[in-house]
Amino acid sequence: VSNGQELVRIHFEGHFITSADELYHTVWETFSDKVSIPSPVSGIVNAVKTRREDLDEDAVLAELTVTENEWQRACRQWLVPEPEYF
């Protein structure tokens, strides 16, 4: 996979409040959408989670193998340098 190429596409459903009143009566509406997550690095895709049963808020969605040079490039691009952080 190349840096910036789609790595994972997530289809999801959710609910949101459309109205509520002072008696705590709430009306909910259902929605569905999808989001594309690009790869932050170039590398080899080792695994991608695809089964709904395996997905939750702590799930690792994809595992990649990258070169040291590519990892360093990505770190320089995405991470804040330590002096700026503190």
Side-chain angles (χ1 to χ4, degrees):
V1 67
S2 298
N3 177 27
Q5 183 180 353
E6 181 179 85
L7 181 61
V8 177
R9 181 179 301 153
I10 300 173
H11 297 264
F12 61 92
E13 296 177 349
H15 304 280
F16 65 92
I17 297 173
T18 57
S19 64
D21 62 24
E22 64 279 354
L23 297 176
Y24 304 103
H25 297 116
T26 304
V27 179
W28 297 86
E29 188 167 321
T30 303
F31 68 95
S32 62
D33 205 348
K34 60 186 170 199
V35 63
S36 176
I37 300 175
S39 178
V41 293
S42 295
I44 298 169
V45 179
N46 297 322
V48 176
K49 295 265 176 126
T50 58
R51 293 174 9 131
R52 272 186 189 214
E53 304 83 46
D54 297 335
L55 299 176
D56 62 23
E57 63 275 3
D58 296 321
V60 174
L61 299 179
E63 293 179 17
L64 288 86
T65 300
V66 300
T67 65
E68 182 68 27
N69 287 341
E70 179 63 11
W71 181 251
Q72 292 299 324
R73 184 207 59 78
C75 288
R76 284 190 303 276
Q77 180 179 351
W78 296 103
L79 299 179
V80 176
E82 186 174 358
E84 289 181 34
Y85 183 77
F86 292 109

